[in-house]
Amino acid sequence: MEILDTVNSPKDLKKLNKYEKIKLAEELRKLIIDTVSNTGGHLASNLGVVELTIALHSIFNAPKDKIVWDVGHQTYVHKILTGRKERINTLRTFEGLAGFPKSSESEYDSFNTGHSSTSISAALGMARARDIKKEKNYVIAVIGDGALTGGMALEALNDAGNSKTNLIVILNDNEMSIAKNVGGISNFLTRVRTRKLYNKSNKYVKRAVLRIPKVGSRIIKLVRKVKYGIKQLIIPNMLFEDLGFKYLGPVDGNNIEDVEAILRKAKDLEGPILIHVLTKKGKGYKIAEENPDKFHSTSAFEIETGKAKKAKKDDYSKVFGKKLVELAKKDEKIVAITAAMRDGTGLTEFAKTFPDRFFDAGIAEQHALTMAAGMAKEGLKPVISIYSSFYQRGYDQVIHDICMQNLPVVMCVDRAGIVGNDGETHQGLLDMAFLKLVPNITIMAPKDFIELEQMLEFAVNLGKPVVIRYPRGRRITRKI
Amino acid sequence: MVAKAKKVAKKLIEENIYVKVINLRFVKPIDENKIIQYLKESKLCITMEDGTIIGGIGTSIKELIVENNIKDIKIKSFAYPDKFIEHGSIGELEKKYKMDVESIYKHVKNTN
Ligand SMILES: Cc1ncc(C[n+]2csc(CCOP(=O)(O)OP(=O)(O)O)c2C)c(N)n1
């Protein structure tokens, strides 16, 4: 760790030349793989942002400049570079470094995160505070393409784009949420990525349009319209531009020099800016590059094989998924819904068995819950599984859309109770208290796998809103 | 939690303290009649839940005791305190917040 040994704060980064930074990236990757293979954690997301993080801390001056990391699961590199490398081996452990940003841990962690899609809102608030206080600093939100599918991120883009506030949003696009990213925005980003192809045809079409003789205002108008239409088709980054952002990119996010160049450019521009950065999830560790979903968040593993150090046994999520497949075979009204957590909630087998009755709404708990309400209203039997702490996001949807209309939605609360290493943002300790007070709701808690199966069967036939809450992992295997 | 409660119960029964474990399958609606009946027969009620202390099942049972004017019963709720709980392994956190079998067992023994 020749270079890393010399880096104790971002100031030290600024002394390095480009070759040293490339070497540093290599050292950081090794340290992260070594660390996470012991502690578990968000491996692939961090391997993807090594160069981006080096560039950010080279060009900006944190902590004066504020960097807000969306979800915050990709901050291991940031933590190492901001004076915490000696403690990185304690990552996610009791009394050790947290797996997410914590202001209490370091002044470089400008805003605490853990739940997705909050970064642009927080950053806009911090930028507006800066302006009112007449201070001068940059505020940067770093958000993944997955997190961008969350409603809050879009609400924030809508507000920020119209605000003329100096704000930099870095879209870290690796085409992946936990699994492959889903939805129209994801498709849109794919079109932007392949823009170069379109650019060729652009020239050809432009020439063709210009050749149309300019006779009569109607034709001119038509030509303008056509041109605009073509422009949109050809330069799809217009979504962000139309929202009021200056769009820069796309740029190779795993190339430090390129990222630094575009960040420098952004510093000189006014108003809200969006930089589109393309990175590779799992970069530099072949097994994670090939299985970015498995290594999004992993338990401790053997570096050579990628295999978990402790073999996985059945857990509540799997038991839920299996039983739901069995029930759905007998009842074609049953549909399953996830908010970007197909594997984590145990719905992988369901998705394979009933692709037409499985819906991944994206990181969009609110939308997913109200969509379930819509399905229930029309006679389906939607079963939705969301982690306890993420139900906090969808609380009004549970109240206003599902329970107030007394709709038969089965709401599974996975990761209920203490979850452990992910810490305060992910503990599932509040759901019983906040769900219990909602009228029309039934809440069950199984004591073992068999009870979970019985409760699920009961729930899909209950005909009104019902919650089943169960903990992470495998606390009890056999019937008790 | 039921598994944990059973472990606590087993340790207590070995010391001739009579314990009954109730599996609260339904957090809502709770089985009021049954629970009231048990409360009337008991000296001490322990509630255990994997959630925050405020507004959980402990709260529900306390309301039942007061509203039904059940006398001669003590109640102790085991749940996570009113704060955001940090990271650590589940075992370490359970110990710290006295949610492990040993802590609960000790409490009951000392109350008796
Ligand atoms: C509200 C909410 N729902 C679900 C999650 C679980 N989650 C953590 S990271 C993640 C995917 C994030 O994808 P992206 O933003 O593209 O980041 P990447 O890891 O690909 O860099 C999800 C769904 C969360 N943190 N918050």
Side-chain angles (χ1 to χ4, degrees), chain A residues 183-196:
Chain A
I185 291 185
S186 173
N187 297 341
F188 156 76
L189 292 174
T190 305
R191 286 202 300 277
V192 179
R193 263 180 248 117
T194 48
R195 185 172 73 160
K196 282 192 182 125

Side-chain angles (χ1 to χ4, degrees), chain A residues 96 420 427 429 436 438 443 445 451, chain B residues 23 25 27-28 52 56 60 88:
Chain A
Q427 307 292 14
L429 296 171
K436 214 176 75 172
V438 182
I443 305 176
E451 252 186 27
Chain B
N23 171 19
R25 289 186 186 84
V27 174
K28 183 182 176 181
T52 185
S60 302

Side-chain angles (χ1 to χ4, degrees), chain A residues 345-364:
Chain A
T345 57
L347 284 171
T348 308
E349 194 189 328
F350 189 102
K352 274 195 203 127
T353 318
F354 305 106
D356 299 336
R357 289 153 66 185
F358 169 78
F359 302 90
D360 180 352
I363 311 180

Side-chain angles (χ1 to χ4, degrees), chain A residues 42 44-46 48-49 70-74 100 114-118 142-150 171-179 181 279 281 292 296-297 339-341 362-365 386-387 389-391 393 425-426:
Chain A
H42 290 92
S45 311
N46 279 283
V49 297
D70 207 286
V71 184
H73 62 312
Q74 74 293 55
F100 295 88
H115 292 195
S116 154
S117 318
T118 63
V142 184
I143 184 166
D145 55 310
L148 194 70
T149 63
L171 171 58
N172 170 31
D173 179 4
N174 54 24
E175 303 175 49
M176 299 292 290
S177 187
I178 291 179
N181 201 7
T279 60
K281 207 160 174 170
H296 172 84
S297 170
M341 310 291 276
I363 311 180
E365 290 78 11
I386 295 178
Y387 291 5
S389 76
F390 304 144
Y391 265 97
R393 222 1 105 83
T425 51
H426 286 59

Side-chain angles (χ1 to χ4, degrees), chain A residues 445 447 451, chain B residues 1-3 5-6 9 19-26 30-42 44-48 57 61:
Chain A
K447 73 174 184 333
E451 252 186 27
Chain B
M1 275 300 155
V2 175
K6 285 197 165 175
V19 190
K20 202 170 218 154
V21 174
I22 302 172
N23 171 19
L24 208 63
R25 289 186 186 84
F26 283 83
I30 61 171
D31 188 349
E32 292 195 7
N33 292 338
K34 196 84 168 260
I35 293 171
I36 290 171
Q37 183 200 321
Y38 284 129
L39 287 171
K40 284 182 173 160
E41 290 167 2
S42 312
L44 173 67
C45 170
I46 303 284
T47 66
M48 294 166 60
I57 57 163
I61 307 288

